[in-house]
C-alpha cells in the first residue's frame, strides 16, 4: 500500500521545494507538477509532489490520518 501525505509548500527553488506538515519539513521534487506556488498544498509520496490539492481537502485528509493513528488498539 502506498500513502501520499498532504503538505504545504513553504519554499521553492527550481524543481525542488520544501513542504511542511505538523512541524515537519521535507524536501520534495516538483518534476511531476506544473505551476506550484508557495502556500499550495500538494500530496507528497516518495519525495515527489504528485498532485495539487485544495486546502480543505488537505485538512480533511490530515484529520482522518490523525484519527487513524490515534485509534485505540
Amino acid at each position: 500500500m502506498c500513502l501520499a501525505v498532504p503538505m504545504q509548500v513553504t519554499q521553492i527553488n527550481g524543481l525542488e521545494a520544501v513542504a511542511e506538515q505538523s512541524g515537519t519539513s521535507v524536501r520534495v521534487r516538483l518534476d511531476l507538477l506544473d505551476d506550484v506556488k508557495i502556500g499550495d498544498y500538494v500530496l507528497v509520496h516518495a519525495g515527489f509532489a504528485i498532485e495539487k490539492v485544495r486546502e480543505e481537502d488537505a485538512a480533511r485528509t490530515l484529520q482522518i490520518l490523525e484519527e487513524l493513528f490515534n485509534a485505540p488498539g
Side-chain angles (χ1 to χ4, degrees):
M1 176 174 79
C2 297
L3 178 66
V5 178
M7 302 185 85
Q8 186 175 30
V9 176
T10 58
Q11 298 175 32
I12 297 175
N13 184 14
L15 291 176
E16 188 173 277
V18 174
E20 189 270 340
Q21 175 11 58
S22 297
T24 299
S25 297
V26 296
R27 290 184 180 186
V28 298
R29 295 291 304 181
L30 301 175
D31 304 71
L32 304 175
L33 299 176
D34 294 325
D35 196 34
V36 175
K37 299 176 190 75
I38 292 174
D40 285 347
Y41 283 83
V42 294
L43 291 179
V44 177
H45 172 69
F48 285 86
I50 59 172
E51 184 176 350
K52 285 174 59 171
V53 294
R54 297 180 323 172
E55 182 175 1
E56 298 82 17
D57 295 334
R60 178 67 181 134
T61 300
L62 291 169
Q63 178 183 0
I64 291 168
L65 289 173
E66 183 174 330
E67 290 170 7
L68 286 171
F69 291 133
N70 292 323

